[in-house]
């Protein structure tokens, strides 16, 4: 099923590839996702396909007939949902996406306490067990690379089920990236879409996995300018800048001037301090950049404000009613985008397209 077969490469050789090359092992022949592991397996073609499908899914689910059509697609499939880090939106939206598609689900939450990991079972044995009961694995883990390793490991077995990365350490969050791209794209429809825009990232850019995945994904919407606004010690890491250097049509700037950055923004991506990754309290007492009812007025009238959430003070709650604030719409988009992603992995996107043609045109 994979475009380049994961069973034909050693784990070490896979690790030595560039992220874009590695991504080819996670996609189906034809370039649609099989696993959803890293932002670099996505390109303009599969991103646009997923965004268009998300819009159709949203509309189809407005009717009872559409809801039952969708629910039939995943009948007989089971998802195993494994989260070893806290989550509200990612977990609930994956659960909702499974329900919308009629996929049964089993949840393994807090595995260190509740699963055989407590008895010393390895994570890979745990994952192999999941593949015996489930047709897909959805996982969030602090352990960077575990989702990829699970996909590789299962490719060497008779049940190489698709793996969905719901957040891996400080590294990547590809399904959040999908909903972020969709949210920006959809909100910018009236101003010509994402291309030729300035997107400003603010906050803990060093340890924010959503920022790393989204920054790469936006290189598919060139020409584009990315501004990284952070205190020096929380600034975006050099590996991301290398990705951007290699992408034609991408301009970027590093700054700590929040006042100036928000004035220039067509899209603003606020993030919180990722203090769970502190090694010695480095983010304690740090003044964060916050959007307030005062400074939001300096932003363009067409700007799109977004946040992956959870937030602390980065976006004042009074701004939630500002028509430019899209972070809550983003939460709901996450459910629909995850439906689209899962449906595409299992090949149901063609059924959805057929249903759309027959019922919505
Ligand atoms: C993000 C995450 O877990 O990385 N949350 C999410 O999935 N929406 C962002 C964060 O926790 O700051």
């Amino acid at each position: 099923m994979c475009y380049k077969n994961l069973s034909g490469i050693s784990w070490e050789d896979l690790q030595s590839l560039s992220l874009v090359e590695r991504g080819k092992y996670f996609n189906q022949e034809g370039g649609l996702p099989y696993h959803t592991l890293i932002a670099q397996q996505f390109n303009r073609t599969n991103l646009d396909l997923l965004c268009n499908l998300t819009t159709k899914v949203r509309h189809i689910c407005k009717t009872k007939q559409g809801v039952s059509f969708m629910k039939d697609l995943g009948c007989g499939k089971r998802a195993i949902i494994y989260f070893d880090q806290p989550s509200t939106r990612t977990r609930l939206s994956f659960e909702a996406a499974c329900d919308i598609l009629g996929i049964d689900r089993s949840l393994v939450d807090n595995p260190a306490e509740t699963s055989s990991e407590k008895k010393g079972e390895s994570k890979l044995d745990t994952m192999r067990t999941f593949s015996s009961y489930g047709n897909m694995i959805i996982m969030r883990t602090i352990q960077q690379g575990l989702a990829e390793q699970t996909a590789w490991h299962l490719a060497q077995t008779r049940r190489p089920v698709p793996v969905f990365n719901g957040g891996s350490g400080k590294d990547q969050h590809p399904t959040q990236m999908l909903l972020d791209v969709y949210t920006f794209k959809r909100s910018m429809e009236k101003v010509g879409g994402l291309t030729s825009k300035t997107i400003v990232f603010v906050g803990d850019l060093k340890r924010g996995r959503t920022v790393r995945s989204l920054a790469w994904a936006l290189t598919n919407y060139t020409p584009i300018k990315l501004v990284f606004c952070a205190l020096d010690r929380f600034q975006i890491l050099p590996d991301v800048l290398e990705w951007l250097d290699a992408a034609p049509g991408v301009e970027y700037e590093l700054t700590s001037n929040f006042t100036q950055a928000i004035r220039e923004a067509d899209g603003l991506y606020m993030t919180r301090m990722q203090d769970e990754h502190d090694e010695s309290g480095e983010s304690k007492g740090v003044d964060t950049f916050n959007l307030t009812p005062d400074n939001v007025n300096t932003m363009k009238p067409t700007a799109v404000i977004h946040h992956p959430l959870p937030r602390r003070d980065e976006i004042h709650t009074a701004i939630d009613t500002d028509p430019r604030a899209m972070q809550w719409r983003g939460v709901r988009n996450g459910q629909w985008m995850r439906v689209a992603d899962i449906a595409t992995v299992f090949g149901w996107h063609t059924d959805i397209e057929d249903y759309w043609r027959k019922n919505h045109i």
Side-chain angles (χ1 to χ4, degrees), residues 12 27 112 162 179 205 241 254:
E12 289 70 27
N27 281 345
L179 82 90
L205 309 183
L241 300 181
L254 275 56

Side-chain angles (χ1 to χ4, degrees), residues 183-201:
T183 301
F184 277 122
K185 237 167 95 78
R186 188 181 161 199
S187 313
M188 290 178 174
E189 250 160 30
K190 289 203 182 102
V191 290
L194 257 170
T195 45
S196 305
K197 298 295 187 296
T198 296
I199 309 295
V200 176
F201 293 84

